[in-house]
Structures are given as structure tokens and as C-alpha cells.
Amino acid sequence: RSIGSAEMALSAMIFRIQNRVAFGGSLEKKDSIRQTIAEARIEITKCRGLCYLAAVIADERGFKDAKKYIAMIKVDAPRMALKIIDDAIQAHGGAGVSNDFGLAQAYAHQRTLRLADGPDEVHARSIARMEFARHAPSEDEMETYSSGDMGATR
């Protein structure tokens, strides 16, 4: 849903930019606009790749191993979509918050999704916990370290 909303917003933004003249010229020739479009495509592609990675891991190793990646998606995809929708609203000016383009509704939906799927902080805590577990030293490694090796200060 988030990736689809971001794609819709990017398409709307590009269409608006290609058909609008402001500041003495075509908006699509402005470097800052081109940067915004490029970054939007990069972020959408990154999220799509993360979704694919989670799906592959779930298929090959099971959902337990994919949990971390699913949590990452739940944090990153709505954030990404909100940023792109916000950029599209900006490109549309005042019309972006009207009911004419559906961007304001898309923004509200994505913002709600961040809460409905659980707060970002809950997913981030889960991701961090899995990372700590992944990097935890084994029992054998713990026996070979002295307190000085573990970074303890005197």
C-alpha cells in the first residue's frame, strides 16, 4: 500500500511539474525538482527491494527469519510514502491539499498506517533487539575475554 501510494504521488508530481510553468520557466528544468524526483525514485526502489528481500527470506527460511525485515518495512515504507506525498503536495501548491488530486487523503492514510501497523518505536526496538542478539558473543567467546577486552574502564 505504501509503495503504491508513493508511486501514485510520484506520477502526480511528475505530471504536475511537466505541465506547470513557474519562476520564469518549466519546473522540470529546475535542479532542485530533478533532485526531488530522483530521490523519490531511489526511496521507492529501496523499499521495493526490502519487501522483496523479506519475501525471499520468508519463502526460503520462514517468517521467523524474515521478522526483522518485515519490521524494517513497517517503519520505512510509510515514512518514504509520506515524504514523497508531501513533496507531491508541495509541487501542486495549494491545490495539493484540495480534494482535486487525492494527495491530502493519501497523506492522511499513510500517516494513519504508521499507527495502525504499530508505532515506529515498537518496530525499531524489535529490530534493535534482533541486531543485539545477532551480534551477541557466544559462551565460548565470553570466556576468552577479560573485562579490559570488553571495553570496561577502571
Side-chain angles (χ1 to χ4, degrees):
R1 294 179 288 188
S2 295
I3 293 172
S5 291
E7 287 282 7
M8 178 274 307
L10 179 58
S11 292
M13 180 171 33
I14 290 170
F15 182 81
R16 180 71 169 184
I17 288 166
Q18 287 176 329
N19 294 289
R20 188 165 175 227
V21 175
F23 308 109
S26 172
L27 286 180
E28 71 180 305
K29 294 182 179 169
K30 306 289 184 195
D31 286 340
S32 63
I33 297 290
R34 289 178 178 199
Q35 183 73 25
T36 299
I37 299 298
E39 287 178 9
R41 174 50 59 207
I42 291 165
E43 291 303 313
I44 291 170
T45 303
K46 283 177 15 184
C47 275
R48 188 171 278 128
L50 189 56
C51 287
Y52 179 75
L53 176 62
V56 168
I57 290 172
D59 284 347
E60 292 178 357
R61 300 192 321 236
F63 281 103
K64 185 175 180 183
D65 286 346
K67 252 174 89 169
K68 177 172 60 172
Y69 301 98
I70 294 167
M72 288 179 198
I73 294 163
K74 287 183 177 186
V75 171
D76 197 44
R79 282 184 185 174
M80 172 273 305
L82 284 170
K83 170 73 170 103
I84 294 169
I85 295 167
D86 187 59
D87 289 341
I89 289 170
Q90 189 70 26
H92 281 75
V97 292
S98 72
N99 290 330
D100 296 342
F101 296 98
L103 295 168
Q105 293 87 348
Y107 190 92
H109 176 75
Q110 288 301 310
R111 187 61 186 98
T112 303
L113 188 60
R114 282 182 68 194
L115 299 172
D117 279 345
D120 291 352
E121 294 81 5
V122 171
H123 297 301
R125 186 174 58 230
S126 173
I127 294 164
R129 190 173 41 244
M130 287 181 259
E131 281 298 301
F132 282 124
R134 183 174 153 238
H135 293 282
S138 68
E139 293 280 328
D140 293 337
E141 290 174 317
M142 288 299 291
E143 291 175 10
T144 63
Y145 291 122
S146 71
S147 62
D149 293 333
M150 297 298 288
T153 58
R154 296 175 196 197

